Amino acid sequence: MITVNKLTKTFGGLTAVSNVDLKIEKGELVGLIGPNGAGKTTVFNLLTGVYVPTAGEIIFEDKSLVHLKPYQITAQGVARTFQNIRLFNSMTVLDNVKLAFHWHDKYSLWGAFLRLPDFFRGEEKMDEAAMELLKVFRLDDKAGELASNLPYGEQRRLEIVRALAAKPKLLLLDEPAAGMNPLETKELMALIGEIRDKFDLTILLIEHDMSLVMSICERIYVLDYGKIIAEGTPEEIKRNPRVIEAYLGREA
Amino acid sequence: MKAMRLRNNLIIAVCLAVLYFGIAYAMKQRMLSSFHQVNLYLMGINIIMAVSLNLIVGFTGQLALGHAGFMAIGAYVSAVMTLKLGQPFLLAVLVGSLATGVVGVLIGLPPLRLRGDYLAIATLGFGEIIRGLLININYVGGAAGMNGIPKLTTWTWLFIFTVATVLLIKNFINSSHGRACIAIRENEIAADAMGINTTFYKVLAFSIGAFFAGLAGALYAHYFFLIQPQTFTILKSFDALVMVVFGGLGSLTGSIIAAVAITVVNAALQSLGALRMVIYALLLVVVMVFRPQGLMGTKEFTLRTLLRQKGGSGLHDYRKQVD
């Protein structure tokens, strides 16, 4: 589904990501892990067009994503969440989700200005679709609240709802469970598995917490100092000496 | 719900009609002095300026300081249409506004790639360039400006255009396209990642704002019959910005209230001469200290909140269908 070849990004003299190869098949749930500062979020930013790669290629469904702008990449079917939550705070929960439907279901500008029938039809369609999605994440009763007034865990969930509203084929989750308590995390992980089946998604997720990734992902890539140092099933990764070294250090 | 919306719209329509006919009657009976009339017209023009600038600064979050430049283009183009080319008023107003909107696109494209303070400086420069150009074009009178523009902005036209501006911009903001603009203000990176073409929507908001500023300029030119480059200095841009900030960034009703209030305060202080600016500035400082978010913040003043009607947005409509 997505193939990344020799992806490299340098900032001045610093190589944040170097020669990264990734290959994800349709329907997979893949984890990307690594210590702090390994370059995980940079990989996401490269995949979603926030940064332009210094070298290398990103092929999504036979089309290169390099040099596309973020909104164009979203239109190709790649959506993401952010590590540091980026909701539209002074918009309602419902409007946050409706926004992501925009490129999909938009009606004409004239319809908006003059309140023509296509405005009402379009709004109704977005309302319905957004409420349906919010229901899946049990946020439907908060639809009228401002996003900033939601508790932390629900803000994280709303980010995922919003990404799903963009109707992606590939969903990138950047530390979806960061800052959640163990119970919330467990629920979220179950939910991620569910939505993959329900929405027919391929998911790549960054997570810090090893145990979590191990329990949910089918395959894992380990990134350290901008390089992929290991790849395999959770079992293989657990036993890989290079991974252990990256996380725990070498015996003196 | 639909009935309630209809009723509210009806109440607003009745209020507007009362306002329109009340003032039309007062004018006919010569109950308003020319001083009152001038300020009445300024009020309408200021409302259009403030509401259109709020779309750019308050809703889309792009700090632009060139609104007087747009007003100047609308004023000059429409004045050339009527005075030099002998075209009818409506056509002149339309062409003036459209020309400003097009200039808005051209001017908007390069600097809207800039952010924050950089955009502010670039648009400030643009306003001054327009003024500099006008001074040097002899066809439009150079520094002396254009004199003897027919006085065609009647109360009826002013009223229609002011109401139409507010209504159209309100409709835009409450649509999917308007949400895209607000999302850019809230978090540009996230808006981009959600599939919003941020450059397109920034330029769109910019040129819609420019279009209506051009409209304000056209109405201004055809009321005061004299326009000069120095009418449209940076101070005029700041006037509009003050109204937007005073009323609340991201509140249309706030902008309207602020435009009316500031016009009234300006008129009331007219007799004080030099002291006027001191009191005016002091007033602004006091408001900013006690209401830093502006009079209305991002809230809107609606009949719904006024009458404390239950069940707000279309969302509740939808829920009722589901239950």
Side-chain angles (χ1 to χ4, degrees):
Chain A
M1 175 151 224
I2 189 163
T3 312
V4 172
N5 286 327
K6 302 216 174 301
L7 192 66
T8 301
K9 177 71 188 175
T10 57
F11 296 103
L14 177 82
T15 307
V17 171
S18 108
N19 287 322
V20 164
D21 295 324
L22 299 172
K23 196 172 168 66
I24 303 171
E25 299 297 337
K26 190 169 166 22
E28 271 192 307
L29 207 168
V30 178
L32 179 64
I33 62 172
N36 279 331
K40 304 182 293 289
T41 298
T42 307
V43 170
F44 267 31
N45 283 338
L46 289 166
L47 292 180
T48 52
V50 177
Y51 299 144
V52 179
T54 312
E57 53 179 11
I58 305 164
I59 310 289
F60 178 72
E61 292 191 321
D62 303 324
K63 240 191 121 194
S64 171
L65 296 187
V66 179
H67 293 301
L68 288 186
K69 300 223 174 71
Y71 76 91
Q72 292 168 322
I73 291 178
T74 308
Q76 297 292 324
V78 181
R80 70 175 291 183
T81 64
F82 294 91
Q83 183 181 1
N84 46 341
I85 301 176
R86 286 178 181 273
L87 290 171
F88 308 121
N89 280 326
S90 63
M91 290 164 79
T92 62
V93 168
L94 184 72
D95 280 350
N96 264 275
V97 180
K98 278 166 81 176
L99 180 96
F101 283 120
H102 176 74
W103 70 268
H104 240 268
D105 292 328
K106 70 176 158 193
Y107 40 82
S108 72
L109 208 51
W110 300 117
F113 268 125
L114 302 173
R115 293 272 154 112
L116 301 177
D118 73 332
F119 163 81
F120 291 103
R121 264 200 306 274
E123 284 294 304
E124 201 175 318
K125 210 168 129 196
M126 285 186 203
D127 269 340
E128 271 173 41
M131 285 306 286
E132 217 165 279
L133 266 184
L134 285 171
K135 215 166 253 170
V136 175
F137 284 77
R138 297 190 320 280
L139 286 167
D140 49 326
D141 52 335
K142 304 263 177 120
E145 293 210 28
L146 290 186
S148 57
N149 292 347
L150 292 185
Y152 184 83
E154 290 182 351
Q155 290 197 4
R156 283 247 167 247
R157 288 219 298 274
L158 179 56
E159 271 234 328
I160 300 176
V161 180
R162 192 179 60 174
L164 284 176
K167 299 185 186 168
K169 295 172 204 150
L170 173 66
L171 180 63
L172 307 174
L173 301 173
D174 197 346
E175 296 208 28
M180 285 187 172
N181 65 37
L183 186 71
E184 283 175 324
T185 310
K186 217 172 151 193
E187 278 177 18
L188 182 78
M189 288 296 162
L191 198 58
I192 290 174
E194 253 172 63
I195 57 169
R196 172 177 60 156
D197 300 334
K198 193 170 157 112
F199 296 95
D200 198 16
L201 288 171
T202 308
I203 297 177
L204 173 62
L205 82 105
I206 291 179
E207 196 37 82
H208 226 73
D209 192 324
M210 285 283 250
S211 60
L212 287 173
V213 187
M214 298 295 172
S215 68
I216 178 172
C217 295
E218 285 133 18
R219 224 151 45 80
I220 293 170
Y221 286 97
V222 186
L223 201 65
D224 191 25
Y225 292 111
K227 289 193 180 76
I228 298 284
I229 56 167
E231 183 221 326
T233 62
E235 280 309 311
E236 291 165 357
I237 293 295
K238 258 184 223 167
R239 284 192 301 267
N240 188 312
R242 289 192 64 189
V243 177
I244 296 167
E245 189 191 314
Y247 267 85
L248 300 176
R250 204 199 310 249
E251 263 180 76
Chain B
M1 181 65 211
K2 230 180 188 163
M4 196 173 87
R5 195 184 297 154
L6 199 69
R7 206 188 70 195
N8 285 357
N9 285 346
L10 215 64
I11 294 174
I12 292 171
V14 169
C15 289
L16 286 174
V18 169
L19 180 69
Y20 169 72
F21 286 111
I23 289 178
Y25 178 78
M27 279 182 171
K28 214 171 182 188
Q29 300 296 316
R30 305 193 180 284
M31 279 153 74
L32 294 175
S33 70
S34 61
F35 178 70
H36 284 137
Q37 285 200 25
V38 166
N39 281 296
L40 187 67
Y41 279 83
L42 274 180
M43 226 178 251
I45 290 164
N46 282 339
I47 288 174
I48 298 177
M49 285 293 277
V51 165
S52 59
L53 185 63
N54 205 344
L55 174 63
I56 303 172
V57 179
F59 288 97
T60 317
Q62 307 300 312
L63 183 55
L65 298 179
H67 226 47
F70 291 137
M71 193 182 177
I73 296 171
Y76 270 86
V77 171
S78 65
V80 166
M81 287 290 287
T82 51
L83 191 64
K84 306 248 178 189
L85 305 175
Q87 298 297 317
F89 175 63
L90 260 190
L91 184 69
V93 170
L94 196 68
V95 170
S97 310
L98 279 176
T100 318
V102 171
V103 172
V105 175
L106 299 180
I107 302 273
L109 265 177
L112 280 174
R113 292 170 183 279
L114 306 173
R115 269 158 229 258
D117 344 356
Y118 303 105
L119 178 68
I121 299 293
T123 48
L124 192 149
F126 147 75
E128 289 306 292
I129 290 171
I130 294 289
R131 215 163 55 81
L133 280 176
L134 290 174
I135 290 172
N136 289 298
I137 299 175
N138 285 328
Y139 181 68
V140 293
M146 290 174 85
N147 203 345
I149 303 163
K151 194 167 176 172
L152 295 168
T153 304
T154 58
W155 163 242
T156 307
W157 283 128
L158 180 83
F159 188 81
I160 290 174
F161 281 126
T162 310
V163 171
T165 302
V166 173
L167 201 65
L168 289 174
I169 292 188
K170 175 194 150 280
N171 282 352
F172 175 77
I173 286 164
N174 290 326
S175 76
S176 181
H177 302 279
R179 271 199 299 276
C181 291
I182 298 173
I184 291 171
R185 173 192 74 192
E186 291 291 300
N187 199 316
E188 197 171 335
I189 293 178
D192 208 343
M194 292 305 125
I196 303 297
N197 183 346
T198 52
T199 309
F200 173 80
Y201 277 101
K202 279 196 269 183
V203 174
L204 182 68
F206 203 66
S207 76
I208 292 172
F211 176 92
F212 287 109
L215 173 65
L219 296 176
Y220 182 95
H222 289 85
Y223 183 73
F224 291 98
F225 65 84
L226 167 69
I227 47 172
Q228 293 174 311
Q230 78 223 39
T231 311
F232 307 101
T233 56
I234 179 79
L235 282 176
K236 197 131 213 127
S237 298
F238 277 124
D239 272 348
L241 189 67
V242 165
M243 287 171 206
V244 170
V245 175
F246 190 83
L249 289 158
S251 169
L252 285 185
T253 39
S255 284
I256 297 169
I257 294 168
V260 171
I262 286 180
T263 315
V264 169
V265 168
N266 258 327
L269 297 177
Q270 205 99 66
S271 53
L272 293 176
L275 209 58
R276 185 177 74 100
M277 282 324 281
V278 178
I279 297 177
Y280 180 63
L282 217 60
L283 217 65
L284 289 181
V285 171
V286 168
V287 170
M288 284 300 108
V289 167
F290 290 103
R291 292 280 304 174
Q293 70 276 50
L295 289 177
M296 301 290 294
T298 55
K299 294 198 175 59
E300 295 290 356
F301 183 79
T302 60
L303 268 185
R304 207 177 282 141
T305 50
L306 190 69
L307 302 178
R308 293 180 200 277
Q309 288 167 347
K310 286 228 175 92
S313 60
L315 161 72
H316 292 78
D317 268 328
Y318 167 70
R319 276 233 204 107
K320 267 185 208 121
Q321 286 165 21
V322 180
D323 290 342

